[in-house]
Amino acid sequence: MDIAKEVDARGLNCPLPILKAKKALSELHSGELLKVLCTDVGSVRDFQAFAKQTGNALVDQQAVGDEFVHVLRRR
């Protein structure tokens, strides 16, 4: 995957990871990928809901140890 931008939201709780992702997505061009690193367990469902509400595609979600990696494609 060709990640255009990465956001480190580790240690932050809802809604901060979503807000940081929203800001970063606004700086990307359509089709570019954003990777968000989180430690908040709730971020899994938060990013699923965020993708549905905004029309940005949730390309990948993974749990890596105690971290969660979300990849979004800008609409």
Side-chain angles (χ1 to χ4, degrees):
M1 276 191 273
D2 187 21
I3 304 295
K5 188 167 187 122
E6 186 172 310
V7 171
D8 185 353
R10 292 178 285 197
L12 301 177
N13 292 322
C14 182
L16 291 175
I18 293 290
L19 293 174
K20 285 184 164 279
K22 187 175 180 179
K23 181 179 184 307
L25 281 168
S26 73
E27 298 167 0
L28 298 180
H29 296 288
S30 182
E32 288 186 315
L33 296 177
L34 171 69
K35 180 178 183 178
V36 185
L37 305 173
C38 296
T39 50
D40 181 10
V41 175
S43 69
V44 174
R45 72 175 181 285
D46 291 345
F47 274 95
Q48 291 168 354
F50 174 74
K52 274 186 186 172
Q53 291 172 356
T54 61
N56 295 296
L58 185 59
V59 177
D60 190 31
Q61 273 189 319
Q62 295 180 31
V64 182
D66 60 350
E67 294 182 358
F68 302 92
V69 180
H70 313 282
V71 179
L72 294 153
R73 182 180 309 278
R74 168 90 195 262
R75 63 182 165 152

